[in-house]
Amino acid sequence: MPDELTSALRHAVYRLLKPLVRILLRHGMAYGTFAELARKAYTDEGLRHLQALGKRPSISAVSALTGLTRKEAKRVHELDLEAGSDRARRYNRAIRVVSGWLVDPRFRDERGEPAALPLEGAHSFAELVKDYSGDIPPSAMLTILEASNTAVVEEGRVLLRERAYLPTQTPVEHLEILGRDAGELVATIGHNISTEKARRVFQRKVSNHSVRASALPAFRSLSTEQSQALLETYHRWLSEHQVDPEAGEDERARYVAVGIYYYDDEIDEDPEP
């Protein structure tokens, strides 16, 4: 690898790792645990890389590719990281419920806004949960949404307080968001680096180094409002183009995500004691 490319990659990885390590230290993850996970990521991605090249994805081959010993590669490849799968399932189901509430005409009022839903019956919260969360009982889903201040029960009806599900009392789920959303962004950047122009996907940001500090609250509010509106437009379009197995469609279903994020340099400052 040319020296210039190596240097650019090293700097990119370091900048990527700094905010990640800040989170890891804050939550008590020591370097040894991180290094173990890095070995597993190298092993698993090495196997996938070899398969994509049409080569036999063996532990011996991935050992040669990554520099890990065969013993290390085999051990970390067999590590089970699925202990939090139930939490992830609840999180994903809660997102689907809120999304259905926003776009399904059965659960919107005459203005097109999320309706105040009765607990049971036609066009109720129970029906919403049944259609969008699968096997999670309505009472359990209501507990999840209430705990995150996403929904509230008033006078026997369930009201949507926030137009997106983001857990506020469950830091474990916040960390799962870190892994999924940051991973998707890095995957998109990697795709655009390595593929021809015609197959690249949208990846842009707007930035300015000279914004008045006093203007940040107003821009945060503006960006939140307009970003939420844009994401809801995207969500409605995606919902209209879902595969419907009940209608006899056998077309392959694919996962799609569009993310918008906000950043200013106050975020990197240490909080005041």
Side-chain angles (χ1 to χ4, degrees), residues 57-79:
S58 66
I59 291 296
S60 295
V62 85
S63 173
L65 176 67
T66 64
L68 294 168
T69 67
R70 291 180 67 256
K71 183 178 180 180
E72 281 182 309
K74 182 176 186 303
R75 179 181 63 79
V76 296
H77 179 56
E78 294 172 351
L79 284 177

Side-chain angles (χ1 to χ4, degrees), residues 208-229:
N208 187 307
H209 290 276
S210 303
V211 178
R212 296 187 186 93
S214 60
L216 290 186
F219 183 70
R220 287 179 181 179
S221 178
L222 172 69
S223 66
T224 297
E225 179 182 342
Q226 297 203 2
S227 297
Q228 179 66 31

Side-chain angles (χ1 to χ4, degrees), residues 54-128:
K55 299 181 179 180
R56 182 169 174 265
S58 66
I59 291 296
S60 295
V62 85
S63 173
L65 176 67
T66 64
L68 294 168
T69 67
R70 291 180 67 256
K71 183 178 180 180
E72 281 182 309
K74 182 176 186 303
R75 179 181 63 79
V76 296
H77 179 56
E78 294 172 351
L79 284 177
D80 181 14
L81 301 181
E82 298 304 315
S85 59
D86 186 56
R87 286 189 301 272
R89 182 176 69 97
R90 292 197 306 270
Y91 173 80
N92 291 331
R93 299 291 176 84
I95 289 178
R96 284 162 49 185
V97 166
V98 173
S99 297
W101 207 338
L102 291 170
V103 303
D104 192 323
R106 293 175 298 163
F107 308 109
R108 292 188 290 174
D109 60 23
E110 61 277 1
R111 298 171 300 157
E113 293 297 313
L117 303 178
L119 289 167
E120 302 285 345
H123 303 173
S124 65
F125 182 75
E127 183 179 342
L128 171 69

